[in-house]
Amino acid sequence: MIPKLCDRATALWASYDRRWRSHRQRSFSLLLTISLTTLLVRPSLAQTPLIPSPSTAPLELDLLTKPKNYVITANTINPERLTVPSLWWAQQNSEGKLLDNWIAYPASEKEPARVDLLVNQQIWSLLDSIQRYEFVNRLGSAARNFGYNVRVFNYQKEPLATYTCNFSTSPASCSIQTNLKNKIGLQRSL
């Protein structure tokens, strides 16, 4: 009888082992499917607010000397009320030498409101990436409070950074892009 008991225990164990391996393979397959789905499938639009791409409109430097009625520059002063966006405080208090001027465009049918900041290239080039990020974030936050996106340029019309927001979310979702040119002239985004 002893051999029969051993045979039966061995058979039970083998049956259990097959079921356990089958269950383990299904669990592994399910885990692998969930993992790959999580990595490969984009989150739904309800989960991730889309931030629009920065404006591709050209920088219009001639508006600094010949402003049109719809733009605001650092030289525009409204004697009756606060001129929006108001970046004078930021320029005078912390950015006086770096921020030279700006051109603010109101929203249009084609584009949201934006401010093109003009920086002193010599000072900009002395800043490290964190200092540039802080500058863009500080002025971008100030412009965001007025409903404006920000682009940063030098006087050679080279784009240096952007601060772009999706104003349809509350609070607004924003993204900062800072372009750096390395020593061989290639650009990378931070």
Side-chain angles (χ1 to χ4, degrees):
M1 286 249 186
I2 293 178
K4 289 184 180 179
L5 285 176
C6 286
D7 289 340
R8 185 163 190 221
T10 303
L12 284 172
W13 179 252
S15 171
Y16 172 77
D17 188 46
R18 280 190 302 273
R19 285 183 293 181
W20 183 78
R21 284 184 188 202
S22 173
H23 174 71
R24 188 172 162 203
Q25 286 175 338
R26 278 191 305 243
S27 297
F28 178 74
S29 296
L30 181 61
L31 180 62
L32 183 61
T33 301
I34 291 170
S35 298
L36 288 175
T37 302
T38 303
L39 292 173
L40 299 177
V41 175
R42 292 182 56 193
S44 73
L45 294 176
Q47 293 173 342
T48 306
L50 296 176
I51 298 173
S53 297
S55 173
T56 58
L59 175 64
E60 299 179 59
L61 285 178
D62 59 321
L63 293 175
L64 292 174
T65 54
K66 299 174 190 169
K68 296 181 181 173
N69 290 339
Y70 63 90
V71 299
I72 298 167
T73 69
N75 302 322
T76 305
I77 298 173
N78 186 335
E80 299 170 10
R81 64 183 190 290
L82 178 68
T83 305
V84 174
S86 179
L87 300 176
W88 290 278
W89 184 256
Q91 184 181 28
Q92 292 303 315
N93 285 317
S94 60
E95 317 303 340
K97 293 181 179 169
L98 177 57
L99 178 60
D100 277 347
N101 212 326
W102 67 86
I103 305 168
Y105 304 86
S108 69
E109 292 178 15
K110 296 178 183 179
E111 300 235 5
R114 77 174 186 281
V115 178
D116 289 341
L117 304 177
L118 291 150
V119 296
N120 179 321
Q121 180 63 41
Q122 290 177 333
I123 296 173
W124 179 265
S125 65
L126 296 174
L127 301 178
D128 63 29
S129 59
I130 293 173
Q131 292 169 317
R132 292 175 183 178
Y133 182 91
E134 288 174 344
F135 169 80
V136 174
N137 188 46
R138 194 168 36 255
L139 280 120
S141 295
R144 179 191 67 220
N145 292 335
F146 295 103
Y148 284 77
N149 289 319
V150 170
R151 301 185 309 172
V152 180
F153 291 90
N154 58 23
Y155 280 99
Q156 289 73 41
K157 298 184 179 184
E158 296 172 328
L160 303 172
T162 60
Y163 185 101
T164 309
C165 298
N166 178 352
F167 292 108
S168 64
T169 62
S170 182
S173 300
C174 301
S175 170
I176 295 176
Q177 295 177 1
T178 304
N179 295 323
L180 298 174
K181 288 190 177 181
N182 62 21
K183 293 182 180 180
I184 57 173
L186 300 175
Q187 286 190 353
R188 62 187 172 105
S189 184
L190 291 178

